[in-house]
Amino acid sequence: MTPASLHQLAPTLVIAAEHDQQLSPETRVRPMLPHLRAPSAYHEIAAAQHYSFLPVCLPNAVELLAPTHEEFLCQEPFGRAREQIHAEALDAITTFFRARGVLGDRR
């Protein structure tokens, strides 16, 4: 992505995970923010990692994934429940859309 291509986007909400191993907020996300068109917004979710945004795993998923060494897909190593992370992301999204008149108030 180039600064020019980022500026061509509609106002955007960027949600990042504080401990993202693949897309570090410090080096990969925050540097692009000044190039987004206003009124874009940024929301960083504390104690979240790259895989925190995957669906909540079934109770036995860690055991099922262990033989292939993929149990990390279901683990939250920073002490926050995935459901809490998802709720915070949803709140950020609905707040962003409501502030722009795209989403109405709950009734």
Side-chain angles (χ1 to χ4, degrees), residues 6-106:
L6 289 170
H7 189 72
Q8 294 300 313
L9 296 173
T12 304
L13 170 62
V14 178
I15 297 176
E18 176 185 22
H19 300 287
D20 196 314
Q21 309 91 315
Q22 279 71 34
L23 299 169
S24 165
E26 185 175 331
T27 60
R28 302 289 302 272
V29 180
R30 290 187 211 127
M32 74 176 179
L33 298 177
H35 305 291
L36 295 173
R37 187 186 320 184
S40 291
Y42 175 69
H43 186 87
E44 188 171 302
I45 299 183
Q49 50 129 354
H50 190 76
Y51 300 105
S52 296
F53 301 102
L54 291 175
V56 174
C57 293
L58 296 172
N60 64 337
V62 171
E63 292 79 22
L64 291 172
L65 292 168
T68 60
H69 306 288
E70 295 173 324
E71 61 272 20
F72 63 90
L73 294 170
C74 292
Q75 296 171 333
E76 293 302 330
F78 301 102
R80 194 158 178 212
R82 192 167 285 187
E83 292 88 349
Q84 293 174 324
I85 294 166
H86 289 185
E88 184 175 334
L90 180 59
D91 184 59
I93 293 164
T94 55
T95 299
F96 180 81
F97 283 136
R98 283 196 179 105
R100 284 144 189 83
V102 177
L103 186 65
D105 290 330
R106 293 181 189 166

